[in-house]
Amino acid sequence: MTAYLARRVLQAIAVLVLVTLIIFLLLRLTPAGAQSAALGGGAAHRTFLLAYLSWVGQVLHGNLGFSAARNTSVAALLAASLPRTLALTVTATVVALVVAVPLGLAQAARANAANRASRAADHAASGLTLLFYSMPVFVLGSVLILLFAVRLHVFGPEGPQAPGFWGVISDWRDLTLPVATLSLVTIALFARYVRASALESMAQEYVEAARARGAGEGRVLARHVLRNSLLPVVTMVGLSIPQIVGGAVVVESVFNIQGMGWQIWQAAQSHDFAVTLGFTLVIAAGAVVGSMLADLGYALLDPRIRDAQA
Amino acid sequence: MTAAPRYGADGRQARGRHAGEAAAGPPPGEMLRAAGASWGRGVLALVRGYPLAVSGAALVVAMCAFCFLGPVLYHASVTRVDLGAANLAPRAGHPFGTDADGIDELAELMVGGRISLEVGAAAGLLAALLGSLWGAVAGYFGGATDAVMMRVVDAAIAIPAIVLLLLLDSIYTPSTGLLVIVIAATSWLYTARLVRAEALTLRVREYVQMVRVMGGNGMRAVLRHIVPNAAGTIAVNVTFQIANAVLVLATLSFLGLGVQFPAVDWGDMISAGVQTISSGYWWEIVWPGAAIILVVVAFTMVGDGLRGRTGH
């Protein structure tokens, strides 16, 4: 277990170094003026390695650059927008999990059922998840605005404008549509995965053994399939972070929520590279650390890895 | 086989109690050949064996016909601004309504779909090609090469594709060719992971090891043996890549960093429709939205249907 943990942490560090390299390379691709603004004067003329190391040094000291367009430091912009994005993504992920895990399991239980109606229910649910999986986030968001804000006046057409994590969370009237948009797409992603993972564990020998011992269908599902299919869900959430944040970028643009995604979008349109690159770095680092934590959590939960000697 | 093959949205064939019965069927090419001289019977066998994939393919063909042949049958200008006919709801003469410039939505939908389909197909193919080569090389050579190449993939996957796309698009001025390259550059990563896994199992096969024994170089083994033998996995992945590329292009256009004026694609149409969303002009959002969804669902169905059946 210790060896596994050490290997996984080292791997995450290697990936983080590569992420900084990729972002630094992109920074070098930007026009010279923007580059020297982001890297500090004269950086364009230094050798690649020296410039990279000094940039990493700056980043490690919390200096993500200065936005000339907004006349403020990238770190200050980040402090204002990160809580909003966190509120949106965390709420949407929780909602998605609460819906998708039972849905995927229920589907898997019906996928091989003898009774035709049960199989049809699985098919119908699969069709629905395929539909939402294929639906562009901005189409879903626009249609929800059209329906619930413009026609029915139930929810606000814009996301929460209050600052801070709790400011966003407590404005449920404006938060409902953005969260619904992001979680519907995420539910489709998760449910497909949970269904496949449950079907996989239903084909395992221990399930057959449980049936052979005379366990009823309910007990087999609850004791053997459920626990073994919940395990990969931990990894799934960790690996989905880039996709959820990517969805949040679009949701924030559609609903005018001034979170990280909205800032990146605005910065991309005004060629404000210090902001785009600084924010990208933070998101990617979050994704790497998140997927590492998910893997470590998996290792702690799975006795096959937890109790391994190596 | 007692139970009819069942497909799920995840594309894997339902396994479980009937696992033994649900063995993989013959690939589609063989099905056509096995049916002998009769094409009709071959096609019928194909429809029976791959219902999901065939209906997906039919939907793809229908959408292509709509975009490329549609304008031959349905004449309406997509460039002539007519403010007197702006924002008309669907009616005789304008079955899908008109947009804020008075341009017929149906005609615009046909022409706009061309760019979506062309860029989607080109970017999807390019991404699959790039990912296949990267994955095959990493998997075949293994060791340090593999470790470094796959860590690069891990690092690039950690950056949300849309963020990377916005970044690249803001550095360079978007053109159709650049959009293809940029979309491919951010989406080849999943293909690389898939093909690498396949290459890992292929590299230990005798015929691949034979190349090494006979003194053939590594690239020859990769190109002659690994890639062709992973063709099934790659072909299925191409369909998912195209679906993804269509989605990504629409999203970029919606955000104003995709196809540039005067060219218009489905994402642009929705973006324009959102400007007047508070007036409730639903037809300016719903039609292009439905078109995008149909194309993405169609390609995903092809991939799901093929993967479910061949076990890739």
Side-chain angles (χ1 to χ4, degrees):
Chain A
M1 170 100 176
T2 329
Y4 172 83
L5 291 185
R7 200 154 12 99
R8 189 61 189 81
V9 172
L10 278 178
Q11 196 184 337
I13 292 173
V15 171
L16 264 182
V17 170
L18 281 169
V19 163
T20 57
L21 261 176
I22 292 175
I23 289 175
F24 184 71
L25 273 173
L26 288 168
L27 190 56
R28 298 280 281 200
L29 286 177
T30 58
Q35 196 185 107
S36 57
L39 289 174
H45 308 293
R46 264 179 281 169
T47 61
F48 182 83
L49 191 68
L50 271 179
Y52 170 72
L53 288 177
S54 96
W55 175 71
V56 169
Q58 290 290 317
V59 168
L60 287 177
H61 283 90
N63 180 8
L64 287 167
F66 189 83
S67 161
R70 309 287 295 272
N71 196 23
T72 171
S73 74
V74 176
L77 272 181
L78 185 73
S81 54
L82 180 67
R84 289 193 169 125
T85 301
L86 269 183
L88 173 66
T89 47
V90 170
T91 321
T93 309
V94 171
V95 171
L97 276 177
V98 168
V99 178
V101 171
L103 178 68
L105 284 172
Q107 275 189 266
R110 279 163 185 76
N112 287 326
N115 141 7
R116 198 170 256 272
S118 298
R119 289 207 307 270
D122 170 43
H123 275 291
S126 291
L128 264 184
T129 52
L130 174 63
L131 182 70
F132 283 110
Y133 188 72
S134 307
M135 195 175 288
V137 175
F138 63 93
V139 172
L140 185 59
S142 309
V143 170
L144 289 182
I145 293 178
L146 204 55
L147 210 64
F148 292 103
V150 178
R151 280 282 154 102
L152 301 173
H153 299 291
V154 187
F155 301 114
E158 251 190 350
Q161 301 300 313
F165 186 85
W166 295 112
V168 173
I169 294 269
S170 54
D171 187 2
W172 63 269
R173 190 171 177 273
D174 288 335
L175 187 63
T176 307
L177 287 186
V179 165
T181 309
L182 191 54
S183 36
L184 274 172
V185 179
T186 315
I187 286 169
L189 179 78
F190 285 0
R192 278 164 69 98
Y193 188 91
V194 171
R195 179 181 179 276
S197 146
L199 279 176
E200 200 123 337
S201 38
M202 281 167 81
Q204 297 295 322
E205 278 162 0
Y206 54 76
V207 171
E208 209 149 322
R211 284 213 179 88
R213 289 196 302 272
E217 200 59 23
R219 190 182 161 80
V220 166
L221 279 177
R223 291 276 309 171
H224 301 275
V225 176
L226 176 68
R227 295 176 68 169
N228 282 292
S229 349
L230 280 186
L231 211 45
V233 168
V234 180
T235 316
M236 173 189 76
V237 174
L239 289 179
S240 308
I241 295 175
Q243 267 153 302
I244 297 173
V245 174
V249 172
V250 182
V251 169
E252 288 176 6
S253 311
V254 172
F255 289 95
N256 193 30
I257 301 172
Q258 288 161 32
M260 294 179 73
W262 186 89
Q263 298 283 7
I264 289 179
W265 178 44
Q266 292 295 318
Q269 284 177 315
S270 56
H271 305 279
D272 192 355
F273 302 110
V275 173
T276 29
L277 287 161
F279 277 40
T280 307
L281 180 64
V282 172
I283 291 173
V288 171
V289 173
S291 97
M292 180 190 76
L293 289 179
D295 273 5
L296 296 186
Y298 187 104
L300 282 176
L301 291 173
D302 189 342
R304 285 169 296 194
I305 303 179
R306 187 182 55 216
D307 302 335
Q309 290 304 307
Chain B
M1 192 182 280
T2 52
R6 288 184 287 277
Y7 307 94
D10 52 84
R12 297 182 200 200
Q13 186 150 24
R15 270 180 286 175
R17 258 181 289 180
H18 305 291
E21 296 164 270
E30 265 168 50
M31 265 183 151
L32 272 180
R33 254 173 271 135
S38 161
W39 272 95
R41 213 177 297 167
V43 170
L44 200 70
L46 207 60
V47 174
R48 279 224 189 113
Y50 298 83
L52 194 65
V54 171
S55 23
L59 200 51
V60 169
V61 172
M63 290 305 287
C64 289
F66 174 75
C67 296
F68 291 95
L69 300 178
V72 178
L73 302 171
Y74 182 81
H75 305 282
S77 170
V78 290
T79 47
R80 207 173 60 86
V81 174
D82 178 5
L83 294 180
N87 298 319
L88 295 179
R91 64 186 62 203
H94 296 295
F96 280 34
T98 61
D99 73 1
D101 294 326
I103 291 170
D104 186 77
E105 281 277 326
L106 180 57
E108 202 176 11
L109 211 53
M110 291 170 175
V111 175
R114 291 183 187 175
I115 303 177
S116 299
L117 287 169
E118 284 167 1
V119 173
L125 285 170
L126 187 60
L129 181 75
L130 224 93
S132 301
L133 285 177
W134 189 278
V137 167
Y140 175 77
F141 289 101
T145 317
D146 179 41
V148 171
M149 287 177 88
M150 293 326 281
R151 289 303 83 73
V152 171
V153 171
D154 289 349
I157 277 184
I159 306 173
I162 188 75
V163 170
L164 205 54
L165 284 161
L166 288 179
L167 204 72
L168 287 171
D169 258 9
S170 70
I171 297 177
Y172 304 104
T173 316
S175 67
T176 311
L178 182 80
L179 281 170
V180 170
I181 294 171
V182 164
I183 293 174
T186 54
S187 49
W188 57 277
L189 306 153
Y190 292 95
T191 314
R193 277 192 178 165
L194 271 178
V195 174
R196 170 191 174 256
E198 189 97 351
L200 282 180
T201 67
L202 289 171
R203 63 186 290 228
V204 292
R205 301 274 172 86
E206 281 90 353
Y207 57 84
V208 178
Q209 293 190 319
M210 211 49 198
V211 178
R212 227 172 303 168
V213 173
M214 286 168 15
N217 74 28
M219 274 328 278
R220 185 181 164 84
V222 166
L223 292 176
R224 296 277 303 190
H225 298 286
I226 306 282
V227 172
N229 277 295
T233 308
I234 296 171
V236 169
N237 191 252
V238 166
T239 64
F240 293 128
Q241 285 289 7
I242 295 178
N244 176 60
V246 170
L247 259 179
V248 167
L249 176 69
T251 306
L252 280 180
S253 292
F254 176 78
L255 293 176
L257 289 151
V259 175
Q260 297 296 304
F261 193 78
V264 167
D265 80 336
W266 291 334
D268 287 318
M269 291 174 71
I270 298 176
S271 169
V274 167
Q275 304 296 321
T276 52
I277 198 167
S278 52
S279 312
Y281 302 144
W282 56 269
W283 58 93
E284 291 175 26
I285 292 170
V286 168
W287 301 131
I292 297 169
I293 295 168
L294 272 181
V295 168
V296 175
V297 165
F299 279 106
T300 310
M301 276 165 74
V302 175
D304 271 358
L306 289 177
R307 183 172 59 175
R309 203 59 205 279
T310 52
H312 291 298

